[in-house]
Amino acid sequence: MEKIFAPEESREVIRGWLIHARKGWKKHEEAARRLESQYRRVGVASVVLSAVVGTSLFASLQASYEPWIRILAGLLSLSAAVLSSLMTFHRYEERVEKHRAAAVSFKSALQKLETVHTTLAGPTLDHESIGQIQQEFDAIGKFAPVVPDDINRAVEERFEVYVFVAKAEDLRPEHKDRG
């Protein structure tokens, strides 16, 4: 059964948005980190293979090599070309920046929501403030890229159980006494 959030007062709307903003921030931050890591691995492999191919081709001009060495050089050349093509095809840099921008936007929205939550005197919030926050979430949704399923699931699982805390120091992980 899927649960649907249907708050009855403004404070609960803000709390729901706090959860949503934190999840969005974490999802896009993790997606950006993963893509950046993949980009670096593919890039380094491409550079290394290209250097090896260039060196081996230069050396093959100097002397006659066995056919297996020329085949290996050809395979390395093909691998370098494939890796370079993958970097272009996957658009790692562009995707990393889109996820980073979405993460920053969610974090900004989260900070605004935290401020609104602390200044909210009663159980209600004016419709104008709610509308502004909703517009910010709508804007994020228009440009934010899709988060990979496994990252989405991992963040959702991490937030299955959560606790609202009133003090920043309560966010620190609890340490066991080391006696």
Side-chain angles (χ1 to χ4, degrees):
M1 172 175 62
E2 189 165 327
K3 296 178 184 176
I4 297 175
F5 184 57
E8 294 180 7
E9 58 183 42
S10 299
R11 183 173 296 280
E12 283 306 307
V13 170
I14 299 302
R15 285 182 159 217
W17 284 349
L18 282 167
I19 296 165
H20 175 70
R22 184 162 296 270
K23 285 179 182 180
W25 168 41
K26 293 296 184 182
K27 289 174 185 179
H28 287 286
E29 187 178 72
E30 288 184 28
R33 287 177 194 270
R34 177 190 290 169
L35 285 169
E36 187 170 29
S37 175
Q38 290 172 351
Y39 175 65
R40 289 180 192 271
R41 285 195 308 264
V42 172
V44 166
S46 177
V47 168
V48 168
L49 286 176
S50 295
V52 169
V53 167
T55 304
S56 65
L57 290 178
F58 181 73
S60 70
L61 295 175
Q62 302 286 329
S64 175
Y65 283 97
E66 297 293 324
W68 70 270
I69 293 177
R70 289 190 297 246
I71 291 170
L72 180 62
L75 289 173
L76 289 175
S77 176
L78 181 63
S79 298
V82 166
L83 287 175
S84 293
S85 298
L86 282 174
M87 287 179 63
T88 301
F89 176 75
H90 284 294
R91 301 178 341 267
Y92 286 114
E93 286 179 290
E94 177 186 335
R95 291 170 58 210
V96 166
E97 288 310 312
K98 284 183 177 182
H99 281 293
R100 276 202 183 116
V104 167
S105 294
F106 272 115
K107 191 169 185 179
S108 174
L110 181 61
Q111 290 168 340
K112 289 175 188 170
L113 287 165
E114 288 168 346
T115 302
V116 167
H117 191 266
T118 60
T119 59
L120 188 60
T124 60
L125 181 66
D126 63 283
H127 290 291
E128 184 179 330
S129 297
I130 288 178
Q132 288 174 347
I133 296 168
Q134 183 63 50
Q135 285 177 351
E136 190 165 346
F137 277 124
D138 291 346
I140 296 169
K142 287 180 183 173
F143 78 84
V146 175
V147 174
D149 285 340
D150 61 324
I151 292 175
N152 188 54
R153 272 191 305 276
V155 171
E156 290 295 332
E157 285 174 11
R158 200 173 346 157
F159 281 90
E160 278 184 5
V161 177
Y162 58 86
V163 175
F164 286 107
V165 296
K167 296 180 183 178
E169 64 188 27
D170 293 336
L171 292 172
R172 291 185 299 183
E174 295 180 29
H175 298 349
K176 294 180 182 177
D177 291 335
R178 297 177 188 158

